[in-house]
Amino acid sequence: MNSIPYAQPSIGEEEIQEVIDTLKSGWLSTGPKTLQFEKSFAEYVGVKHAIGLTSCTAALHLALLAHRIGPGDEVIVPSFTFAASVNTIIHVGATPVFADISEHTYILDIEDVERRITLKTKAIILVHYGGYVADIDAFNALAKKHGLVIIEDAAHAVGSERKGKQVGSFGNTTCFSFYATKTMTTGEGGMVTTDDDAIAEHAQNLRLHGMSKDAWKRYAKGANWRYEIVAAGWKYNMFDLLAALGIHQLKKLPSFIDTRRAYAEQFKEGLGKIPGLILPPDSSDIRHSYHLYPIRISGGRRDGFIETMANLDIGTSVHFIPNHLQPYYRERGSKEGDLPITEKVFSEIVSLPLYPKMTPEEVSHVIQATKKALA
Ligand SMILES: *Cc1c(COP(=O)(O)O)cnc(C)c1O
């Protein structure tokens, strides 16, 4: 069997033709394809506004800005997430406050979150880790009680559902990623979704220099050359070359997720009875997209496992090295022992390769290799 990389995108002829069509159209930046992708994405999720961006990092940054979070404010965030969920809080001048996760779901532990709320707390960044969906009803109730905003980091959770509803349709503001390893990809790219007109308008202005809406049309034939700068905005606009990929990736998303779920089932059958091995969480309330397939290996064997798998030519990855243990955040005062569950889970966790481009035989191969590496 050939080597199995940790992640690979599924790009088909449709995406390739759409990119060629975009190149030939002469319009490469934000334009008709971006509008089309945004419209289809909003329809898919079941939300009023979808604003295309160049990354989920940009989405998180704009979501915080649109909610007027800034200096003096505290934002509660898991440490067990990608750096972007935390760095963007720094970008707006606010203070990240790390909270621990549930040992079962790897999602923020709501009781620990509540303990960390102060008069300065303005928002919670809720990460739907691995494609599992947080109990949003409980978090919305907590936010209401304390007057907080919830910003969902759904970088892993495009297409995941809770109680039959898509992620992005039940929170105030949700941020998605289309990075190359994500469930659907535009290479680099992201989206922020909301039902709130004011938040949408603010994010829309800020994504392109603070120009008032639709200013990107100024180079179109017959367009008005006048524009107004209403804020010192950023340069985060999704553009048609990316959207060309997104349009077709979105159409394929349901089948991508079906395949991921089938492979997760195959993993469960193959690895379900191994002592000391914990498989990813699931729940009857959710339709898990299995963006990740994180397993936990007890007894200090995780690092050796990664090495053995690499020797068997199988890529793995660790999601995530806790942010509170990173040098930048240590300098700001966090330290080992602050978040016991996060630290324990981090020492045991490793993500196996799982993506639609794999064949069932490759999944079997990963299962056999995992058993061998654990033996
Ligand atoms: C990938 C990722 C991001 C950042 O996404 P980009 O599109 O690369 O900016 C944010 N949060 C989480 C949890 C991620 O995994």
Side-chain angles (χ1 to χ4, degrees), residues 54-58 60 81-82 84-85 127 153 155-156 176-179 182 188-190 291 319-320:
T54 42
S55 69
C56 181
T57 306
L60 290 160
T81 181
F82 185 57
S85 324
V127 180
D153 180 338
H156 297 176
F176 294 93
S177 174
F178 310 128
Y179 177 65
K182 298 289 162 52
E188 299 276 358
H291 170 63
H319 301 90
F320 292 95

Side-chain angles (χ1 to χ4, degrees), residues 66-268:
H67 284 284
R68 319 263 173 191
I69 289 155
D73 299 336
E74 291 177 359
V75 178
I76 298 178
V77 63
S79 171
F80 198 61
T81 181
F82 185 57
S85 324
V86 191
N87 289 349
T88 46
I89 300 169
I90 302 283
H91 295 166
V92 300
T95 304
V97 173
F98 292 117
D100 217 341
I101 50 170
S102 139
E103 180 160 2
H104 174 59
T105 62
Y106 316 142
I107 303 277
L108 274 177
D109 170 356
I110 195 162
E111 284 167 20
D112 195 51
V113 170
E114 188 156 25
R115 273 195 290 276
R116 293 172 196 270
I117 294 174
T118 71
L119 290 173
K120 290 181 178 170
T121 310
K122 288 284 154 56
I124 299 168
I125 304 245
L126 185 57
V127 180
H128 298 298
Y129 178 92
Y132 188 91
V133 188
D135 182 353
I136 191 78
D137 295 335
F139 278 96
N140 279 340
L142 179 74
K144 203 169 165 199
K145 183 172 154 196
H146 295 275
L148 311 177
V149 170
I150 293 191
I151 294 170
E152 288 167 76
D153 180 338
H156 297 176
V158 65
S160 289
E161 295 173 15
R162 184 169 195 101
K163 295 181 179 165
K165 290 179 78 185
Q166 285 282 326
V167 166
S169 68
F170 39 58
N172 183 296
T173 308
T174 308
C175 303
F176 294 93
S177 174
F178 310 128
Y179 177 65
T181 59
K182 298 289 162 52
T183 301
M184 58 173 276
T185 184
T186 59
E188 299 276 358
M191 193 78 85
V192 61
T193 62
T194 183
D195 279 322
D196 185 326
D197 297 342
I199 294 296
E201 193 183 336
H202 200 170
Q204 210 139 25
N205 290 340
L206 289 176
R207 79 166 159 177
L208 187 63
H209 309 296
M211 282 181 178
S212 48
K213 200 168 166 256
D214 289 349
W216 58 268
K217 285 181 188 157
R218 73 192 192 285
Y219 292 117
K221 206 174 145 210
N224 194 334
W225 53 268
R226 288 180 196 280
Y227 57 84
E228 281 188 302
I229 300 295
V230 297
W234 274 262
K235 187 68 170 68
Y236 285 162
N237 52 305
M238 153 102 28
F239 52 100
D240 280 19
L241 269 178
L242 303 188
L245 294 164
I247 288 164
H248 295 282
Q249 289 276 295
L250 183 63
K251 285 183 189 159
K252 297 174 184 179
L253 181 63
S255 81
F256 286 166
I257 292 176
D258 286 346
T259 308
R260 285 178 174 275
R261 288 173 59 81
Y263 288 168
E265 198 54 43
Q266 200 181 332
F267 273 126
K268 192 173 159 190

